Amino acid sequence: AQSVAQPEDQVNVAEGNPLTVKCTYSVSGNPYLFWYVQYPNRGLQFLLKYITGDNLVKGSYGFEAEFNKSQTSFHLKKPSALVSDSALYFCAVRTLNSGNTPLVFGKGTRLSVIA
Amino acid sequence: DVKVTQSSRYLVKRTGEKVFLECVQDMDHENMFWYRQDPGLGLRLIYFSYDVKMKEKGDIPEGYSVSREKKERFSLILESASTNQTSMYLCASSPQGAVVNEQFFGPGTRLTVL
């Protein structure tokens, strides 16, 4: 079975500092990994995905994520946080064997960027 | 601009009422999904559909049913609403056949059952 863990419920960071939101996964087979962001009272917005190739993936709003197969991780990063980055972040996974099946989501991490 | 729309942003219903949540996508996607989102529990899959008139149970289908009569529309039905179904409901869609494709989400419906 596929699963995703986001070990931190809440991450606090000062504006201008680098931020990291952690994600680890468990799958059989090669993973396809996704990050989504949810702003207050909104649906989820796609940020970036890892399919294959370069382990460092760049996405929207200056975010990037690094795929680490040995550590089964896909942490979301940004070099310099903005107050407007404050939101709920979800990591998700699917495998090649799962066809049309839905993404499996983590429980989410709330990011708070303090001015 | 691609879109998934949901019929209501906020809804208040009474216990025992039959509730319909509607979702429409304009991307000609084959796959559609219903999730509920609760604090500390993340997104939990209720039902999904990969074709018209087809449906599959997700992780928490009890108390819910779905209908997909047209490709663009996927309805979630609460047969007899209960207070423990108070939640945020999110609809999503994705194209068929490509595991690499992301899902596109609607804005959500916040349902309160009194």
Side-chain angles (χ1 to χ4, degrees):
Chain A
Q2 306 164 102
S3 67
V4 170
Q6 293 181 242
E8 300 156 318
D9 292 334
Q10 173 94 30
V11 170
N12 297 319
V13 63
E15 188 176 30
N17 283 1
L19 70 86
T20 299
V21 182
K22 295 180 181 177
C23 172
T24 59
Y25 64 89
S26 175
V27 300
S28 53
N30 291 323
Y32 299 96
L33 294 152
F34 301 77
W35 274 104
Y36 283 81
V37 60
Q38 185 181 35
Y39 297 103
N41 298 313
R42 304 285 294 276
L44 273 67
Q45 296 178 31
F46 169 74
L47 273 180
L48 52 79
K49 63 184 175 184
Y50 171 80
I51 305 303
T52 187
D54 194 347
N55 289 343
L56 186 63
V57 179
K58 294 189 184 296
S60 307
Y61 312 122
F63 283 93
E64 58 190 28
E66 185 168 12
F67 172 66
N68 187 317
K69 189 171 184 178
S70 63
Q71 297 186 6
T72 62
S73 67
F74 189 56
H75 300 332
L76 182 70
K77 300 181 180 184
K78 188 173 182 181
S80 179
L82 300 173
V83 172
S84 57
D85 293 329
S86 298
L88 191 55
Y89 291 82
F90 290 95
C91 183
V93 70
R94 188 193 279 135
T95 67
L96 183 62
N97 298 329
S98 52
N100 292 320
T101 57
L103 291 170
V104 174
F105 285 85
K107 294 186 177 182
T109 298
R110 187 165 300 281
L111 173 67
S112 180
V113 181
I114 303 157
Chain B
D1 196 16
V2 295
K3 259 193 169 176
V4 178
T5 56
Q6 296 182 228
S7 51
S8 304
R9 293 299 304 273
Y10 300 93
L11 209 52
V12 180
K13 296 292 182 180
R14 297 211 173 271
T15 302
E17 281 192 78
K18 190 169 186 176
V19 182
F20 293 86
L21 302 183
E22 305 286 345
C23 175
V24 177
Q25 51 94 6
D26 66 359
M27 296 168 281
D28 201 35
H29 286 169
E30 290 80 9
N31 302 330
M32 296 188 75
F33 314 90
W34 275 107
Y35 294 88
R36 64 176 283 177
Q37 181 183 7
D38 300 287
L41 298 177
L43 273 69
R44 293 181 292 168
L45 182 68
I46 305 171
Y47 268 97
F48 64 103
S49 167
Y50 51 86
D51 202 353
V52 176
K53 296 192 186 294
M54 305 298 287
K55 61 183 179 184
E56 295 282 344
K57 292 181 179 179
D59 300 319
I60 52 163
E62 296 79 18
Y64 303 94
S65 62
V66 290
S67 172
R68 187 136 182 234
E69 297 296 319
K70 293 185 177 181
K71 189 177 184 180
E72 68 271 18
R73 187 180 297 269
F74 191 35
S75 303
L76 180 69
I77 304 157
L78 286 66
E79 297 290 344
S80 177
S82 63
T83 55
N84 62 14
Q85 292 178 310
T86 291
S87 187
M88 170 73 99
Y89 290 87
L90 294 169
C91 176
S93 72
S94 70
Q96 188 179 50
V99 71
V100 302
N101 286 323
E102 63 267 30
Q103 293 174 194
F104 296 84
F105 282 82
T109 295
R110 188 166 294 280
L111 173 67
T112 301
V113 182
L114 301 176

